[in-house]
Amino acid sequence: MEAPQFESVFLHVTKACNLSCSYCYFSASKPLPDEMTTAEFSQLWPDVVALTPKKLIFTGGEPLLRPDLIELVSGLAAADPEHRILRCVNSNGHGVTKQLARDLVGLADEVRVSLDGLPGLNDAVRGPGNFDAALRALEIYHSAGFVPKVLVTVTAMSLPGLEELLCFLIQRGITRINLNAFRPIGRGQRHVDWQPDPAKIRDAVRRAWRSCYPASNWPPLSPDLDSQSHCGVGRFINIMSNGDVFPCHVLTNPEFRCGNLRQQRLVDICRSQGLLAALATLDFSTFADDKGLSSLTNAGTCLGSVYARTKTSPSWGRALPLVPVESLSERRMP
């Protein structure tokens, strides 16, 4: 059985983080006690290259807390001499230094910094001083020769200020912006009412671009939420810092665990695991008649968020080869 064609591999190199964001989907704080070593990660690179995803994202937690991050990125680069896979590095900005930026030149194709609002709002959810740290990181990356990307998590609270944030960034020459709508997972489970209206996000983007650019000279817009026919599950691999493999960073329930890199090679997990193949070919229209799951037919609806509310629905068992929860042995999950 051939492995599905994946768009992205999200590699969580650590669960450690120096921040404690109110909505963190990963509930990042301290490193897992059994995080993979540099040597263990080095065994992963040939399999990643064999799967040829479009990109691999080094993320966390805060990936810059791994002292071997440059070595990890270098390892993937060495395993992929034809440079078929884009190498991306996420950060909250605090660990970005001039030396780090210089070290990443030639290794990373894309450097990303999280920033969710102007100072007061951003620091209220991400922590004091984060806005200044993120802005400083963007400046350092730019000085090193990068065109950095900003990752924005949009909540119902930050949505009213989104247009102003976008204009602030655009006026500083930052037009590579990725918008992610908040999902109530991880620490965000306590804030279900923070979910924003996707239509209002699109309106804010359009207003910002129109106010900052002549209509004849618009730069590429941030990805439109309507561009996806569904949430995108089946196109990603999510690897936890302890080697556990999941379909995405939302579906980390035990029944969605596809394997562990300490027990099985990634290519074997992808080629032999029926769940990944089933997700890659999942027909979302099959849920149209199920009242609890019918929202999955709407563009951009997160399968993981719907699953969290409807785990007991028999439709899941019919649509996906999930391991029954009652048959799972106890596992320590990230």
Side-chain angles (χ1 to χ4, degrees), residues 231-310:
C231 76
V233 69
R235 295 186 288 121
F236 313 124
I237 305 174
N238 193 69
I239 302 173
M240 298 299 191
S241 55
N242 64 355
D244 280 344
V245 178
F246 294 92
C248 74
H249 53 253
V250 179
L251 290 171
T252 55
N253 310 75
E255 57 271 32
F256 280 92
R257 182 179 182 271
C258 301
N260 184 280
L261 299 180
R262 287 180 169 131
Q263 301 164 359
Q264 197 175 8
R265 289 182 56 186
L266 182 62
V267 289
D268 294 330
I269 291 173
C270 294
R271 288 171 180 162
S272 64
Q273 174 54 241
L275 177 57
L276 288 174
L279 287 167
T281 58
L282 182 61
D283 181 0
F284 280 65
S285 67
T286 60
F287 298 117
D289 296 329
D290 188 312
K291 184 177 180 180
L293 281 65
S294 59
S295 62
L296 287 169
T297 60
N298 300 330
T301 300
C302 172
L303 186 148
S305 296
V306 174
Y307 181 77
R309 303 192 304 268
T310 60

Side-chain angles (χ1 to χ4, degrees), residues 4 9 47 74 109 127 135 178 199 215 217 260 301:
V9 174
D47 283 6
S74 298
D109 299 292
L135 204 61
N178 189 58
N217 190 34
N260 184 280
T301 300

Side-chain angles (χ1 to χ4, degrees), residues 36-263:
M36 292 175 64
T37 65
T38 309
E40 286 176 317
F41 275 121
S42 70
Q43 298 175 24
L44 172 64
W45 308 137
D47 283 6
V48 171
V49 173
L51 292 171
T52 61
K54 292 181 181 178
K55 62 180 67 173
L56 184 142
I57 300 99
F58 292 87
T59 186
E62 171 51 46
L64 299 190
L65 293 180
R66 287 272 314 208
D68 60 349
L69 181 67
I70 296 298
E71 188 174 353
L72 295 179
V73 183
S74 298
L76 176 57
D80 182 26
E82 296 179 0
H83 206 156
R84 293 182 294 173
I85 303 169
L86 295 178
R87 303 181 288 270
C88 311
V89 176
N90 288 357
S91 175
N92 59 35
H94 287 268
V96 177
T97 63
K98 292 181 180 180
Q99 184 60 55
L100 173 81
R102 287 193 292 266
D103 289 344
L104 285 174
V105 172
L107 288 179
D109 299 292
E110 186 173 278
V111 289
R112 306 159 161 199
V113 179
S114 296
L115 185 65
D116 297 338
L118 294 177
L121 189 146
N122 180 85
D123 290 5
V125 293
R126 297 185 61 82
N130 177 249
F131 179 87
D132 290 340
L135 204 61
R136 183 169 56 251
L138 291 168
E139 293 170 352
I140 290 172
Y141 277 141
H142 189 269
S143 296
F146 286 109
V147 180
K149 174 180 282 190
V150 172
L151 305 180
V152 181
T153 297
V154 184
T155 67
M157 294 185 309
S158 66
L159 183 54
L162 179 59
E163 180 182 351
E164 187 178 3
L165 172 65
L166 294 175
C167 288
F168 174 87
L169 295 172
I170 292 167
Q171 289 164 5
R172 283 157 180 76
I174 301 169
T175 58
R176 302 191 69 197
I177 304 167
N178 189 58
L179 302 177
N180 299 290
F182 162 80
R183 297 187 180 104
I185 55 176
R187 278 198 287 269
Q189 292 180 72
R190 299 170 293 181
H191 307 290
V192 177
D193 57 328
W194 286 10
Q195 291 179 275
D197 183 339
K200 291 183 178 179
I201 295 177
R202 290 190 291 272
D203 288 343
V205 171
R206 294 187 183 107
R207 289 195 305 270
W209 255 253
R210 284 169 181 160
S211 65
C212 293
Y213 291 97
S216 60
N217 190 34
W218 283 8
L221 288 173
S222 300
D224 194 316
L225 298 182
D226 278 335
S227 65
Q228 294 183 3
S229 60
H230 58 80
C231 76
V233 69
R235 295 186 288 121
F236 313 124
I237 305 174
N238 193 69
I239 302 173
M240 298 299 191
S241 55
N242 64 355
D244 280 344
V245 178
F246 294 92
C248 74
H249 53 253
V250 179
L251 290 171
T252 55
N253 310 75
E255 57 271 32
F256 280 92
R257 182 179 182 271
C258 301
N260 184 280
L261 299 180
R262 287 180 169 131
Q263 301 164 359

